[in-house]
């Protein structure tokens, strides 16, 4: 065994530099664990991409501060700067030879100590420009200079591995000293000081000084040298390749891993705008559309080409790192102040980070607020991940918001492509190019914002474009996308209160949607002074096209148009179900649900807590997630039960009281002397004003999907019990449940992983096991005796009562068609007016039942049921229902569920 190299400690001046500049480095959480694991198995050699004294100092600081294997050797640098003043300078004056460095490396490894190995030297002015290679849709620039740089050291590593039994592990890692993406087009500064991705000494120092507060360390999977040799030997038929071949392949493998980690932080290299536009306009699919529309005339093709270019300029994003940083600071001063906290699924972020290393992310978040546009970009920016490019509606492209969002990664798309074939082809070509280049994409499957709190039915246009690109519709894209995965990422963004709540309630009540403009910005700025509770983001299971193809039994990507459409629809609904599955229950959603599903005028605080605990148990049984602010810390991971955090219910009530949605009453105080400043607490009784039930319904709808299966059974069962029937035959109950499910097909999200018969049988069995119903030997179903089980069954029915009442309101509104056809908007207004009368007269209980989206969904369902018809864009009554008695029959059928 050779003598161990000397252990170095930083001199006092360098120790100050370490503490001042390197303590802010954002370390990959798995890095230290990987290094310790590698150290336990063998000898660690840290591998860095290109020679950088700053990288070495940062590595030396981290290994010392985290008590990791310390660096005893670094090629081409020497460790003189670490030594005490005097002796270090003498060491620096000695001539250095590569053979001496190779010996020092071998000495360190043979002694069981760690080393730092730089694979490449940065290019200089005399070097040729880097060669851009396209792999997996991402341009990767690898320097051509010094093909043998690092080869002697890797050869020494191979020799050292053969001389020992314990493994040598090469741990690739990269320090990212800039937040700006690499550029494909290099300028004079790049020629003088090296490009951003391969900086020279001066640029390295400049990048360090400019970004030392925002440094990122990423580590790749370690390479076991012995395992690598064995693998190459097996691949060569049992004959070990020459060292030159092994070194070349090992260098390539390490550079690939290093590049992958760097791209996971910076994203793809940015192209000049004119080059990107040229590539989009040259798309074969877009050119075919232009030829089809213009015919053989060159002038006509030129006109359509200019028009396509104009459309492209109108929609494209213009990512600017400076704008992203400015917007992040602006968000800190506005949006961040609107919420008392951000609860982020950190494990989900890490899953996305790992997936992004080997593929392209397509983010599919829920859409309830304009805040959605910026929250994911903020999360990615704070996590040092590439900012996604977001498909936004062109209604947000107004000045000054539009230019800001465009530079922060938004590209603006019209609400509808209908009737404009060229525009659709431009959008298609643009999104395909972004996918090929490796940009993460983000768009909302729901299309527009949900005003109700529930997910809207998915719109398949943009998703179809992405799926077609992944399937390889164009020959040029096929090979790329097979080499680089595309991950579809369902994401739930939840709010305790929405910024747009007031405008949503106005629209739900029948008001017209107002167009976004600058005044809306000022109103949003004013609302920033308020508090909207906590915002939470949850990430679902990642989906892939290959995984979905396997689910449906398809072994080939060459699908017929019908099968391709079916695949797109399956992906959309899988994503929507996944969003619902991971939606976290918030304190305000739990309180709003309890307040809207009790049958009393007011609810005492103790009974509210009891109702919330019952709801939490049901939701826990359905596998729902809970926000950290709702559950007790020591019970968050309890698989058997869930315990609410003391104070969570009171805090949620305070949030609703401040919003004006909840009144606090105290018994014994005369009505005229009620304390307007009364706060929630043990002696409070809560009353929800009728006009505020719609606001609470938005919060309740955040969790309503967890109750749907049981509510479909409980609703006819409770209605039958109230009608005096002690029990109902299971076959008749199944018919009633299926009819109700079909009626609500546009309203609620149902399971799509089994047949109705299977879901009905499973849910019936689960409800019986939980004591929510009784099933006798003859197959008759009844509610249990009064108690917890009966209370739970009644709760399930009340979860959807407002929808049943809303459909009854819609049925009452059909009477307006007896005088003649009406446009959908006019019919909805008539129904809303009728519903307000029904509520004031006491015919319905829930004020939130008089909701325009509910009524409009009811009309769609009535068309499927044959109760309504369409003619010239208007609703008409079919002949069989064109009498007052027949219209009353429709309402009676729905009312039978009440």
């Amino acid at each position: 065994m050779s003598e161990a190299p000397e252990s170095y400690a930083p001199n006092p001046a360098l120790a100050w530099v370490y503490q001042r500049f390197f303590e802010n480095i954002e370390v990959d959480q798995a890095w230290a664990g990987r290094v310790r694991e590698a150290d336990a198995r063998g000898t660690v050699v840290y591998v860095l991409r290109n020679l950088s004294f700053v990288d070495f100092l940062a590595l030396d600081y981290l290994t010392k501060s985290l008590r990791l294997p310390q660096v005893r050797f670094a090629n081409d640098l020497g460790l003189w700067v670490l030594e005490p003043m005097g002796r270090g300078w003498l060491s620096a004056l000695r001539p250095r030879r590569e053979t001496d460095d190779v010996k020092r490396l071998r000495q360190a490894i043979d002694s069981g100590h760690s080393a730092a190995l730089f694979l490449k030297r940065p290019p200089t002015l005399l070097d040729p420009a880097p060669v851009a290679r396209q792999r997996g849709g991402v341009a990767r620039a690898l320097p051509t200079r010094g093909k043998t740089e690092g080869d002697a050291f890797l050869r020494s590593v191979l020799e050292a591995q053969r001389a020992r039994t314990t493994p040598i592990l090469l741990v690739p890692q990269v320090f990212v000293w800039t937040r700006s993406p690499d550029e494909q087009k290099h300028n004079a500064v790049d020629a003088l000081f090296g490009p951003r991705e391969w900086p020279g000494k001066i640029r390295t120092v400049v990048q360090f000084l400019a970004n030392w507060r925002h440094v990122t360390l990423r580590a790749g999977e370690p390479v076991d040298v012995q395992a690598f040799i064995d693998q190459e030997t097996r691949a060569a038929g049992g004959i070990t390749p020459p060292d030159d071949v092994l070194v070349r392949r090992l260098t390539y493998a390490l550079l690939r891993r290093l590049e992958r980690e760097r791209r996971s932080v910076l994203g793809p290299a940015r192209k000049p705008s004119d080059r990107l536009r040229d590539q989009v306009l040259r798309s074969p699919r877009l050119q075919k559309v232009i030829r089809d529309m213009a015919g053989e005339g060159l002038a006509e093709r030129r006109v359509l080409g200019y028009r396509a270019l104009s459309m492209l300029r109108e929609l494209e994003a213009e990512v600017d790192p400076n704008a992203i940083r400015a917007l992040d600071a602006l968000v800190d001063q506005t949006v961040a102040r609107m919420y008392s906290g951000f609860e982020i699924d950190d494990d989900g972020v890490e899953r996305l980070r790992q997936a992004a290393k080997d593929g392209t992310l397509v983010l599919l978040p829920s859409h309830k607020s304009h805040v959605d546009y910026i929250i994911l970009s903020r999360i990615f920016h704070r996590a040092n991940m590439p900012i996604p490019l977001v498909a936004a509606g062109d209604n947000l492209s107004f000045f000054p918001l539009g230019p800001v969002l465009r530079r922060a990664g938004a590209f603006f798309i019209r609400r509808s492509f209908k009737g404009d074939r060229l525009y659709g082809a431009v959008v298609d070509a643009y999104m395909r190019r972004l996918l090929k280049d490796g940009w993460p994409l983000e768009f909302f499957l729901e299309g527009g914002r949900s005003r109700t709190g529930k997910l809207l039915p998915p719109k398949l246009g943009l998703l179809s474009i992405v799926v077609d690109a992944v399937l390889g519709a164009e020959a040029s894209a096929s090979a790329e996308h097979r080499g680089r995965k595309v991950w579809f990422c369902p994401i739930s963004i939840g709010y305790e209160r929405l910024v747009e709540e007031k405008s949503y309630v106005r629209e739900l009540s029948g008001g017209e949607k107002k167009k976004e403009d600058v005044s809306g910005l000022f109103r949003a700025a004013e609302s920033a002074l308020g508090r909207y509770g906590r915002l939470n983001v949850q990430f679902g299971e990642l989906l892939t096209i290959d995984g979905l193809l396997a689910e449906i039994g398809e072994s080939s990507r060459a699908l017929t148009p019908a099968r391709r459409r079916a695949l797109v629809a399956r992906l959309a609904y899988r994503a929507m179900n996944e969003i619902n599955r991971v939606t976290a229950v918030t304190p305000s959603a739990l309180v709003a649900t309890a307040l809207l599903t009790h049958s009393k005028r007011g609810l005492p605080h103790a009974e509210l807590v009891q109702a919330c605990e019952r709801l939490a148990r049901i939701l826990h049984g359905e596998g729902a997630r809970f926000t950290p602010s709702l559950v007790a810390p020591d019970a968050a991971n309890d698989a058997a039960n869930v315990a609410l955090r003391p104070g969570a219910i009171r805090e949620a009530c305070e949030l609703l009281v401040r919003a004006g949605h909840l009144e606090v009453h105290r018994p014994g105080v005369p009505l005229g002397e009620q304390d307007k400043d009364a706060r929630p607490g043990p002696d409070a009784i809560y009353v929800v004003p009728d006009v505020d039930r719609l606001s609470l319904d938005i919060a309740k709808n955040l969790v309503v999907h967890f109750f749907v299966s049981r509510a479909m059974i409980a609703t006819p069962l409770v209605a039958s019990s109230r009608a005096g029937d002690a029990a109902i035959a299971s076959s008749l109950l199944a018919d009633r449940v299926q009819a109700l499910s079909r009626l609500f097909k546009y309203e609620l999200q149902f399971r799509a992983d089994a047949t109705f018969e299977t879901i009905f049988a499973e849910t019936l069995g689960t409800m019986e096991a939980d004591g929510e119903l009784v099933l006798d030997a003859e197959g008759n179903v009844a509610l249990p005796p009064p108690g917890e089980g009966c209370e739970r069954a009644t709760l399930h029915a009340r979860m959807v009562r407002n929808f049943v009442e809303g459909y009854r309101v819609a049925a009452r509104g059909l009477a307006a068609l007896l005088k003649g056809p009406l446009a959908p908007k006019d019919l909805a207004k008539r129904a809303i007016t009728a519903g307000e009368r029904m509520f004031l007269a006491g015919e319905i209980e829930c004020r939130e039942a008089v909701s325009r989206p509910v009524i409009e969904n009811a009309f769609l369902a009535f068309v499927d049921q044959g109760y309504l018809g369409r003619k010239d864009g208007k609703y008409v009554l079919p002949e069989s229902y064109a009498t007052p008695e027949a219209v009353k029959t429709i309402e009676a059928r729905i009312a039978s569920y009440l």
Side-chain angles (χ1 to χ4, degrees):
M1 182 72 69
S2 304
E3 183 183 352
E6 188 175 359
S7 179
Y8 297 96
N11 58 59
L14 194 57
W16 178 86
V17 172
Y18 278 4
Q19 201 68 26
R20 178 74 173 85
F21 292 104
F22 295 145
E23 64 179 6
N24 293 304
I25 294 178
E26 192 246 328
V27 180
D28 185 350
Q29 295 299 316
W31 176 70
R34 284 179 180 173
V35 173
R36 290 193 179 96
E37 181 183 344
D39 184 49
R41 293 173 54 196
T43 300
V44 172
V45 176
Y46 303 97
V47 179
L48 298 97
R49 192 173 61 158
N50 56 308
L51 186 65
S52 168
F53 201 80
V54 174
D55 283 7
F56 166 70
L57 293 180
L59 177 64
D60 186 61
Y61 166 77
L62 290 175
T63 54
K64 287 181 169 65
S65 63
L66 297 175
R67 299 184 182 278
L68 300 173
Q70 295 183 21
V71 177
R72 301 295 182 88
F73 169 83
N75 62 302
D76 293 316
L77 286 178
L79 306 180
W80 61 268
V81 76
L82 301 181
E83 301 179 37
M85 289 298 182
R87 185 163 58 110
W89 293 104
L90 293 175
S91 300
L93 296 176
R94 300 189 190 113
R96 301 184 57 82
R97 293 178 300 181
E98 187 178 79
T99 54
D100 295 334
D101 271 358
V102 171
K103 290 179 181 178
R104 292 189 182 96
L105 171 62
R106 180 65 183 272
Q107 182 184 8
I109 294 176
D110 288 344
S111 302
H113 297 289
S114 294
L117 182 58
F118 296 94
L119 295 179
K120 298 287 181 181
R121 294 190 184 97
T124 65
L125 182 60
L126 299 178
D127 292 325
V131 176
R133 300 179 183 176
Q134 193 82 5
R135 292 188 180 276
V138 178
R140 305 169 187 268
L142 300 179
T144 58
R145 178 182 182 272
K147 293 182 179 179
T148 62
E149 290 176 7
D151 289 7
F153 299 104
L154 286 178
R155 189 176 290 107
S156 179
V157 170
L158 293 172
E159 293 170 355
Q161 180 64 77
R162 294 190 183 101
R164 58 192 288 164
T165 56
T166 57
I168 299 172
L169 295 112
L170 306 178
V171 182
Q173 55 212 316
V174 58
F175 289 93
V176 182
W177 298 94
T178 176
R179 300 296 296 272
S180 300
D182 300 332
E183 301 276 357
Q184 286 196 359
K185 183 178 180 180
H186 293 152
N187 53 33
V189 173
D190 298 324
L192 286 171
F193 304 109
R196 184 181 290 113
E197 61 271 30
W198 296 93
K201 294 178 181 178
I202 296 178
R203 188 160 195 165
T204 296
V205 173
V206 171
Q207 289 184 169
F208 160 66
L209 293 176
N211 298 281
W212 63 272
R213 295 180 184 274
H214 308 288
V215 185
T216 303
L217 169 63
R218 289 285 176 260
E221 196 68 31
V223 176
D224 185 325
V225 177
Q226 185 58 58
F228 174 80
I229 294 173
D230 294 342
Q231 178 183 344
E232 293 297 324
T233 301
R234 287 193 300 271
I239 302 174
T240 302
D243 278 2
D244 288 346
V245 175
L246 290 175
V247 167
R248 186 168 64 250
R249 293 176 180 173
L250 184 56
T251 301
Y252 177 74
L254 291 169
L255 286 174
R256 281 290 303 273
R257 297 188 187 200
L258 289 165
E259 182 66 16
R260 187 178 69 164
E261 298 300 327
R262 181 178 171 83
R263 293 300 180 193
S264 73
V265 176
L266 298 179
R270 189 171 58 182
K271 297 176 179 176
S273 297
D274 55 349
R275 181 181 174 189
L276 177 63
R277 291 173 191 143
D278 182 67
Q279 289 178 334
V280 171
L281 294 176
R282 290 179 181 272
S283 162
R285 293 167 67 95
L286 177 57
Q287 287 298 316
K288 182 179 184 302
V289 170
I290 290 176
R291 288 195 302 271
D292 290 346
M293 293 179 65
E296 298 300 323
L298 294 179
E300 289 81 357
R301 291 186 187 179
R302 190 176 298 111
V303 169
L304 288 178
Y306 283 128
R307 189 173 158 213
L309 176 61
S310 175
M311 292 174 175
L312 182 57
R313 290 179 181 273
E314 180 183 295
L315 73 90
E316 67 181 349
E318 299 174 358
V319 179
D320 181 352
N322 294 324
I324 292 172
R325 285 190 287 269
L327 184 62
D328 187 63
L330 180 63
V331 169
D332 274 343
Q333 298 300 316
T334 55
V335 175
R337 294 186 178 185
M338 295 156 64
Y339 300 97
S340 56
F342 290 81
E343 299 173 323
I344 310 300
D345 175 12
D346 292 329
D347 291 339
V349 174
E350 188 58 33
R351 287 198 305 273
L352 262 61
R353 188 197 309 280
Q354 296 303 319
K357 294 178 182 180
D358 293 314
T360 300
L361 301 180
V362 177
L363 310 179
L364 305 174
S366 59
H367 195 20
K368 297 180 177 67
S369 169
H370 281 317
V371 178
D372 298 338
Y373 288 108
I374 58 177
I375 190 61
L376 287 182
S377 294
R378 175 186 170 89
I379 291 172
F380 274 54
H381 182 69
R382 294 296 177 94
N384 286 318
M385 296 172 63
I387 298 296
L389 301 188
V390 186
D394 61 353
N395 58 312
L396 295 178
S397 62
F398 61 87
F399 182 84
L401 182 63
V404 174
L405 293 180
R406 192 185 299 274
R407 285 165 176 76
F411 58 97
F412 298 102
I413 297 180
R414 298 176 189 170
R415 290 294 182 183
S416 174
F417 306 170
K418 203 169 184 180
D420 196 337
R421 184 183 176 192
L422 181 62
Y423 185 80
V426 170
V427 173
D428 177 278
Y430 181 66
M431 294 191 65
R432 286 173 183 272
R433 173 47 57 186
L434 295 179
L435 276 173
K436 290 178 185 178
D437 290 346
W439 285 100
L441 297 181
E442 175 188 340
F443 57 89
F444 303 100
L445 277 177
E446 299 168 89
R449 292 169 293 161
S450 169
R451 269 67 173 168
T452 65
K454 297 188 284 90
L455 293 182
L456 300 174
K459 304 292 192 299
L460 306 183
L462 294 182
L463 185 65
S464 181
I465 290 174
V466 174
V467 170
D468 280 350
V470 176
L471 290 173
E474 293 180 356
S476 61
S478 177
E480 292 174 3
H481 285 293
R482 278 198 293 265
R484 184 172 174 84
K485 282 187 177 180
V486 174
W487 301 94
F488 295 89
C489 317
I491 303 170
S492 172
I493 305 177
Y495 304 85
E496 288 203 86
R497 282 191 61 212
L498 292 167
V499 178
E500 302 95 332
E501 184 182 277
K502 289 183 179 179
S503 63
Y504 284 179
V505 169
R506 187 177 55 79
E507 293 176 35
L508 292 173
S509 303
E512 295 297 326
K513 178 181 179 295
K514 292 185 178 180
K515 184 178 180 181
E516 284 84 356
D517 55 17
V518 177
S519 64
L521 284 178
F522 293 130
R523 287 194 298 271
E526 291 174 2
S527 67
L529 300 175
R531 288 293 178 181
Y532 290 85
R534 292 175 176 86
L535 181 153
N536 74 86
V537 180
Q538 303 288 323
F539 298 90
E541 177 188 352
L542 300 179
L543 306 173
T544 64
I545 293 298
D546 288 337
L548 289 170
L549 288 173
E551 287 182 11
I552 62 177
E554 289 284 351
S555 58
S556 170
R557 292 188 172 202
L559 303 176
T560 64
R563 297 290 287 172
R564 183 170 295 191
R565 287 192 296 271
L567 176 66
V568 172
R570 185 180 185 88
L571 173 58
Y573 282 99
R574 273 293 306 276
M576 301 299 271
N577 288 335
E578 193 65 15
I579 291 172
N580 270 338
R581 184 185 71 83
V582 301
T583 294
V585 182
T586 66
S588 62
L590 201 65
V591 169
T593 303
L595 290 169
L596 293 182
T597 54
H598 76 91
S599 57
K600 303 175 183 178
R601 185 179 300 277
L603 195 62
H605 183 85
E607 292 186 27
L608 175 64
V609 172
Q610 185 180 16
C612 288
E613 289 173 343
R614 177 184 292 126
L615 284 165
R617 288 193 296 271
I618 295 173
L619 288 163
H620 185 266
E622 294 295 327
R625 299 183 181 185
F626 294 85
T627 61
S629 58
L630 177 58
V631 296
D634 56 348
N637 298 318
D638 188 348
N641 202 354
V642 60
L644 301 183
R645 180 178 64 84
I649 304 305
R650 178 182 51 78
E651 291 168 7
C653 290
E654 288 177 349
L655 180 71
L656 297 176
V657 169
R658 287 198 302 270
H661 303 327
L662 191 61
E663 294 177 355
V664 179
H665 294 264
R666 300 188 186 280
V669 179
L671 290 178
E673 300 176 11
Q674 285 288 342
D675 184 2
K676 295 182 179 180
D677 296 325
R679 310 310 304 168
D683 59 342
I685 296 178
Y686 305 112
V687 176
V688 181
D690 292 337
V691 296
D692 291 294
R693 290 183 67 92
L694 273 171
S695 296
L696 266 63
D697 191 56
I698 295 173
K700 185 202 89 171
N701 283 338
L702 189 73
V703 298
V704 70
H705 56 275
F706 289 109
F707 296 86
V708 167
S709 295
R710 298 192 188 208
M712 292 299 99
I713 292 177
T715 295
L717 193 60
V718 170
S720 176
S721 176
R722 289 181 175 176
D725 298 326
I728 181 173
S730 58
S731 58
L732 177 59
L733 178 63
D735 292 340
R736 296 269 287 160
V737 171
Q738 189 168 36
L740 187 62
S741 301
R742 288 172 176 168
L743 187 66
F744 285 156
K745 64 178 291 187
Y746 297 104
E747 195 68 56
L748 302 171
Q749 294 275 344
F750 295 96
R751 284 176 54 187
D753 58 345
T755 63
F756 168 81
E757 290 76 16
T758 300
I759 296 173
F760 177 78
E762 289 179 357
T763 307
L764 200 67
T766 304
M767 293 180 70
E768 182 185 18
D770 290 344
E772 296 173 357
L773 55 80
V774 177
L775 184 64
D776 64 22
E778 286 76 30
N780 297 315
V781 186
L783 288 177
E788 176 66 18
C790 186
E791 289 288 336
R792 286 170 60 118
T794 304
L795 171 63
H796 294 316
R798 293 196 67 86
M799 285 294 298
V800 297
R801 182 180 180 88
N802 63 303
F803 300 119
V804 180
E805 290 187 347
Y807 279 50
R808 183 184 178 187
V809 168
R812 179 76 61 89
L814 296 182
L817 295 176
L818 293 171
K819 297 180 180 180
L822 286 173
K825 184 180 296 186
D826 294 331
L827 183 59
K829 288 181 178 180
R830 302 284 184 92
I832 289 173
T833 302
E836 291 172 349
R837 291 196 184 100
M838 294 171 71
F839 176 73
L840 294 174
E843 293 183 74
I844 59 175
E845 294 181 12
C846 305
R847 177 62 181 82
E848 64 272 24
V850 189
S851 167
R852 184 166 66 177
V854 172
I855 290 170
E856 290 174 345
N857 288 336
F859 291 153
L860 295 175
F862 291 170
V863 171
D864 291 347
Q865 299 278 334
Y867 302 155
L868 265 182
R870 287 193 179 99
K871 184 178 181 181
D872 299 329
K874 296 183 177 182
Y875 281 132
V876 297
L877 286 173
E879 185 177 348
S880 54
Y881 288 100
T883 64
E885 293 75 15
V887 170
K888 290 180 180 178
T889 301
I890 299 173
E891 182 182 345
R893 290 177 184 172
I894 298 172
S896 67
Y897 288 102
L898 298 170

